[in-house]
Every structure is written in C-alpha cells, then in structure tokens.
C-alpha cells in the first residue's frame, strides 16, 4: 500500500509530536484550540488537501491525512500554532502508509498514552473525525480507519484489564495531593477551570479527599455551577479568583487557556500553597516558584507517577497488541478489496454489456423468447463469474496487481477510481 487512497500521487501520513520527546513547553507551542483547528482544516481545504484529521491534547498534537509530501501537513501545523519547523523537526515524528496506520491504532488503543491504558484519546479522534466529515475532509479510507481504530479500542477495553483502576492524569494529581498534603480533608481546595480534566479531577477530589471545602471557579460560571450542583460544592465568580487563591491551601489549574492565567502577582498568601497545573500550554507562570511557600507541580511530573495498578496493566500489553493486529488485518483486507473493486465493477459492467447484446440477438431469433428466465439465468452466471474473479484476487498465492492487469487486458476494461 504505497500509493494513494486519496488523490493520485498522494500518500497517507501521520505527523505530530508527543510527551515522549517534546516537553510541556514545546507541546504548548504546537497546541491547537478549537478555533485554530478550524483554521487549519479550512487552510487544508483551500490548498487542495482532501482528507485529514487533527487532534490536540495535553499529551500530543497530530495530523493524519493525505499529502504528496509530509511537509504540507507540517506547514499546516506550524502556520496555525506558535511552533516552528525547526522546533518540530527536533522532537516530532513522521509516519507513512503502513507505519501511519499502525501508529493510529496504537494511539487510539491507549498503548501510546502517557499513562498506559488512558483511553481519553479515542474520543478525541472520533470528535476530530466528525468535524472533518462535516467540513468535507474525511474520505472513505480515513473514515473506515477511524472506525476500525475505535473498534480495536473498545475490544481492548472490554477484553483486557489494561484500563482497570483509576490511573489518569486527574487521578495522579489527587494521588499526589493525598501523599503530600497532611490533613487534606480540612484544607481549602480551589479548582480553577472545569473542562474535561477539571471535571474528572473534581470527581476524584470529592471521592478520595473526603473534603467538603472545595471551591470551583470558571470563566463561564454556569459550567462550574453544573458540576458544583452534582457534588454540592461552592462556586465563586471569576472576579474573586485572587481572593480565593489566597484562601487556598491547594490550587488546581485546568483552564485550557493559551497563555498563563495564574502568576505570582495573584498570590499574596503567607501560608504554604501547592499548585497543580494540569494544562497544556502551561496555565501557571513559572514565576510563582519565586514566592516563599509556593510549590508548583506540572502534569508532566504527575504522569510519571507509577503504582501497582500501572504495573498490572503492563501484563495486558501482549493481548492488546494481538487485538490490534486482528483488527488491523481486517482493515488491510478491506483495503485490498477496495483496490480491486473498480476492476470487478468494470468487469461486471462488461459482462452486462455482453448479456444485453446477446439477449437482443436471441429475441430476434426466438419467437417465444422467455425474457424473465433469460435475465435470471444470465444474471446468475455473471454473479458467479465476478465472484470467482473476486476470490482469485483475494488469494494471497497470486499477485493482485498482476492479476488486475491481466483481467483489464483480457476484457479491455477501463476502471474508474470512484468505484
């Protein structure tokens, strides 16, 4: 599968960067918010790219799509972020065709996650695919690939225990608080930002700290109120942020902003303050560490926390990889079938032409010609012939490309790439 499944001369690529080589600061340079994703997709369409998916999470930013050269996709990413090509080349990866497909399976199945078995990424992939489809940027190949990756992810989740236990960035943050803040149930905790990570962290805080003094602040107050109502927590206005920070013993920041939302000028507290920044790009300025008593922990550090749960998960990696290979084979079989589908369709049309011409001859020759019976018999024969050729093309003992060329030559076929 070297050649295209999109336009002629294009190849399928996966380009991006992740926590493996890019630290939080660099990942922040290449982070895409919703507006930037839309701009990137619009730009892709304007430059003639026909199919791609864009994902951006706290751990990775990736583009999966068709291009003549990967630089077309890299340029799209750099044009719509603060990142530069030089930065990208130092920490990034570029996969082509089979390797790109394999990479997407590993990412979507949680095997490439910063915390093994964290399946948050699959919902991101599905959401990104929906957006691309809405904009007319999702071809049959990429739509099918996303569906199969989702299928592999579901099977791994149900057939293994690779995602058992509450190990995620949000849980790791609460785990850190429990281990480092004495008497946590009686301390003041402020959660600033109630996006997905903020919501998950809030749930874990309530569940594990037994603390009833948790306050929520969000720029959009009604979002915070919806979560607070679920757990019976206190909500304060964004205007009260500085006051609430100075009342807190623990501050968790997960705002998803593109620039720091908390810096040392907001903090006048005299008591110890633990700040956990769960955001990419970083939402807490490093200058807070200049203040006495302030400890800043970023999610990259939290993600390194391993425990017995994670060790147990590793035992299921071989089973997960077997599931991926199984589903990937199904996808590759579909690809092979799709490769010869235009030729089979053209062959069937040629045989239908033969049938039509022959029936015309027989109508003139036979006075009581049975039209219905002749149609039924000839259609059954055509179906048997095309099925026979399709089975031959699926046979791994023969070269599909050579067989296709021979069929085209013998039957003088012209195939359409839209078949």
């Amino acid at each position: 599968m070297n050649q295209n499944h999109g336009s002629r001369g294009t190849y399928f690529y996966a380009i991006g960067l992740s926590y493996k080589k890019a630290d939080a600061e660099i990942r922040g340079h290449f982070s895409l918010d919703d507006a930037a994703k839309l701009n990137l997709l619009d730009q892709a369409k304007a430059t003639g790219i026909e199919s791609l998916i864009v994902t951006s999470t706290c751990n990775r930013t990736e583009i999966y799509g068709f291009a003549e050269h990967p630089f077309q996709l890299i340029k799209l990413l750099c044009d719509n972020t603060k990142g530069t090509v030089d930065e990208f080349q130092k920490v990034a990866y570029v996969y082509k065709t089979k390797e790109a497909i394999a990479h997407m399976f590993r990412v979507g199945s949680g095997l490439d996650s910063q915390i093994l078995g964290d399946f948050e990424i699959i919902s991101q992939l599905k959401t990104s695919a929906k957006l691309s489809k809405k904009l007319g940027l999702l071809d049959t190949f990429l739509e099918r690939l996303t569906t199969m990756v989702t299928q592999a992810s579901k099977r791994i989740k149900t057939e293994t225990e690779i995602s058992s236990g509450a190990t995620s960035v949000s849980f790791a943050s609460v785990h850190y608080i429990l281990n480092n803040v004495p008497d946590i149930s009686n301390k003041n905790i402020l959660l600033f930002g109630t996006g997905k990570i903020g919501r998950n962290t809030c749930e874990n805080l309530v569940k594990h700290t037994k603390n009833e003094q948790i306050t929520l602040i969000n720029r959009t107050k009604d979002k915070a109120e919806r979560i607070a109502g679920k757990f019976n927590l206190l909500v304060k206005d964004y205007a009260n942020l500085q006051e609430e920070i100075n009342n807190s013993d623990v501050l968790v920041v997960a705002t998803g902003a593109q620039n720091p939302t908390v810096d040392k000028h907001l903090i006048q507290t005299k008591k110890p303050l633990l700040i956990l920044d769960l955001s990419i790009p970083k939402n807490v300025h490093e200058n807070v560490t200049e203040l006495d008593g302030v400890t800043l922990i970023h999610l990259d550090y939290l993600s390194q926390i391993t425990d017995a749960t994670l060790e147990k998960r590793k035992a299921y990696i071989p089973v997960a990889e077997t599931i991926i290979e199984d589903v990937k084979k199904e996808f590759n079989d579909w690809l092979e079938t799709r490769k010869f589908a235009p030729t089979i369709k053209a062959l069937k049309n040629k045989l239908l032409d033969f049938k039509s011409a022959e029936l015309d001859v027989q109508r003139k020759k036979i006075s009581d010609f049975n039209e219905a019976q002749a149609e039924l018999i000839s259609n059954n024969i055509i179906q048997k012939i095309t099925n026979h050729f399709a089975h031959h093309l699926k046979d791994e003992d023969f070269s599909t490309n050579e067989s296709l060329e021979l069929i085209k030559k013998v039957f003088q076929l012209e195939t359409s790439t839209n078949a």
Side-chain angles (χ1 to χ4, degrees):
M1 81 146 265
N2 320 330
Q3 195 61 13
N4 60 0
H5 293 281
S7 295
R8 194 162 189 76
T10 63
Y11 297 85
F12 180 59
Y13 290 102
I15 68 107
L17 63 156
S18 75
Y19 67 93
K20 288 185 176 179
K21 287 180 74 176
D23 63 21
E25 185 177 351
I26 297 296
R27 296 203 306 278
H29 293 174
F30 290 93
S31 178
L32 291 156
D33 59 18
D34 290 343
K37 279 183 197 172
L38 274 174
N39 288 340
L40 190 154
L41 291 167
D42 287 340
Q43 186 180 332
K45 207 168 184 179
T47 54
I49 288 173
E50 295 178 358
S51 183
L52 83 166
I53 287 176
V54 184
T55 62
S56 186
T57 71
C58 56
N59 291 330
R60 67 180 68 245
T61 297
E62 294 184 326
I63 298 176
Y64 297 92
F66 288 93
E68 292 174 22
H69 191 278
F71 184 73
Q72 292 169 274
L73 305 180
I74 295 166
K75 185 176 187 302
L76 282 174
L77 180 59
C78 294
D79 283 354
N80 290 281
T81 63
K82 297 174 184 174
T84 65
V85 174
D86 283 346
E87 274 184 316
F88 182 87
Q89 287 174 334
K90 287 173 187 171
V91 297
Y93 41 81
V94 175
Y95 298 110
K96 183 178 178 182
T97 56
K98 287 183 181 178
E99 289 74 25
I101 291 170
H103 178 70
M104 190 169 173
F105 268 100
R106 287 189 69 82
V107 168
S109 298
L111 295 190
D112 203 63
S113 297
Q114 192 165 20
I115 293 180
L116 178 65
D118 186 347
F119 283 92
E120 290 291 326
I121 188 67
I122 194 63
S123 61
Q124 293 268 358
L125 278 170
K126 285 158 68 179
T127 302
S128 299
K130 280 180 188 172
L131 179 59
S132 291
K133 188 170 185 176
K134 186 179 176 183
L135 297 173
L137 279 165
L138 193 72
D139 68 357
T140 309
F141 171 92
L142 201 44
E143 185 168 21
R144 180 78 171 210
L145 178 56
T146 308
T147 301
M148 299 305 277
V149 169
T150 303
Q151 186 179 312
S153 175
K154 281 180 183 172
R155 280 190 56 189
I156 290 169
K157 211 166 186 179
T158 55
E159 295 175 32
T160 77
E161 292 180 36
I162 205 163
S163 60
S164 63
T167 302
S168 63
V169 169
S170 58
F171 178 74
S173 62
V174 176
H175 191 73
Y176 183 88
I177 291 169
L178 290 169
N179 288 338
N180 291 276
V181 182
D183 194 25
I184 187 60
S185 58
N186 294 312
K187 294 292 170 65
N188 293 325
I189 301 174
L190 174 62
L191 176 62
F192 177 34
T194 54
K196 192 158 193 177
I197 289 179
R199 290 196 304 272
N200 290 344
T201 305
C202 182
E203 194 165 338
N204 278 313
L205 281 168
V206 171
K207 183 177 177 182
H208 298 288
T209 65
K210 313 298 182 197
N211 188 307
E212 295 179 4
Q213 298 165 122
I214 300 172
T215 302
L216 306 185
I217 291 181
N218 196 63
R219 284 180 188 273
T220 313
K221 192 176 181 182
D222 62 339
K223 282 186 180 178
E225 285 172 339
R226 282 198 294 273
I227 297 165
K230 184 179 175 184
F231 299 110
N232 196 27
L233 304 177
L234 189 63
V235 174
K236 289 292 181 78
D237 289 324
Y238 177 63
N240 299 119
L241 179 62
Q242 184 169 15
E243 179 188 344
E244 290 305 317
I245 288 175
N246 292 320
N247 285 337
S248 300
D249 300 290
V250 177
L251 168 63
V252 180
V253 181
T255 61
Q258 290 300 300
N259 296 297
T261 51
V262 174
D263 66 16
K264 68 178 183 180
H265 303 294
L266 279 177
I267 303 170
Q268 278 91 38
T269 185
K270 299 299 179 189
K271 59 182 178 178
L273 175 64
L274 171 63
I275 304 177
L276 302 181
D277 186 359
L278 309 185
S279 317
I280 293 288
K282 290 179 179 180
N283 282 184
V284 180
H285 200 289
E286 291 287 340
N287 64 16
V288 299
T289 59
E290 296 169 15
L291 301 173
D292 290 338
V294 173
T295 303
L296 173 62
I297 301 294
H298 192 259
L299 67 78
D300 272 2
Y301 174 78
L302 294 170
S303 298
Q304 294 166 13
I305 296 174
T306 57
D307 57 13
T309 305
L310 262 182
E311 290 305 311
K312 283 179 190 172
R313 289 181 178 194
K314 289 178 183 175
Y316 296 99
I317 291 176
V319 183
E321 287 175 336
T322 301
I323 291 170
I324 287 175
E325 287 307 311
D326 187 28
V327 180
K328 199 162 65 174
K329 183 182 182 304
E330 192 180 332
F331 176 73
N332 287 330
D333 287 347
W334 172 81
L335 268 188
E336 282 298 306
T337 303
R338 189 166 174 255
K339 187 163 78 171
F340 60 70
T343 301
I344 293 296
K345 185 177 179 181
L347 173 62
K348 190 169 187 177
N349 288 337
K350 178 69 80 167
L351 294 174
L352 287 169
D353 289 343
F354 289 161
K355 178 197 84 168
S356 182
E358 185 59 30
L359 291 185
D360 281 345
V361 170
Q362 296 306 322
R363 279 189 205 99
K364 292 168 186 172
K365 284 185 179 180
I366 303 169
S367 56
D368 58 345
F369 182 68
N370 190 324
E371 186 84 34
Q373 194 171 24
E375 279 281 343
L376 180 65
I377 293 168
S378 52
N379 284 342
N380 284 344
I381 291 170
I382 288 171
Q383 193 59 50
K384 281 185 168 67
I385 292 169
T386 51
N387 284 347
H388 188 80
F389 276 107
H391 286 308
H392 169 79
L393 290 167
K394 288 179 183 176
D395 194 331
E396 293 178 1
D397 292 337
F398 301 97
S399 164
T400 303
N401 290 335
E402 287 178 14
S403 296
L404 286 172
E405 289 309 311
L406 183 61
I407 294 167
K408 289 176 190 175
K409 188 175 180 182
V410 169
F411 289 95
Q412 298 177 323
L413 303 178
E414 290 183 12
T415 60
S416 165
T417 54
N418 297 321

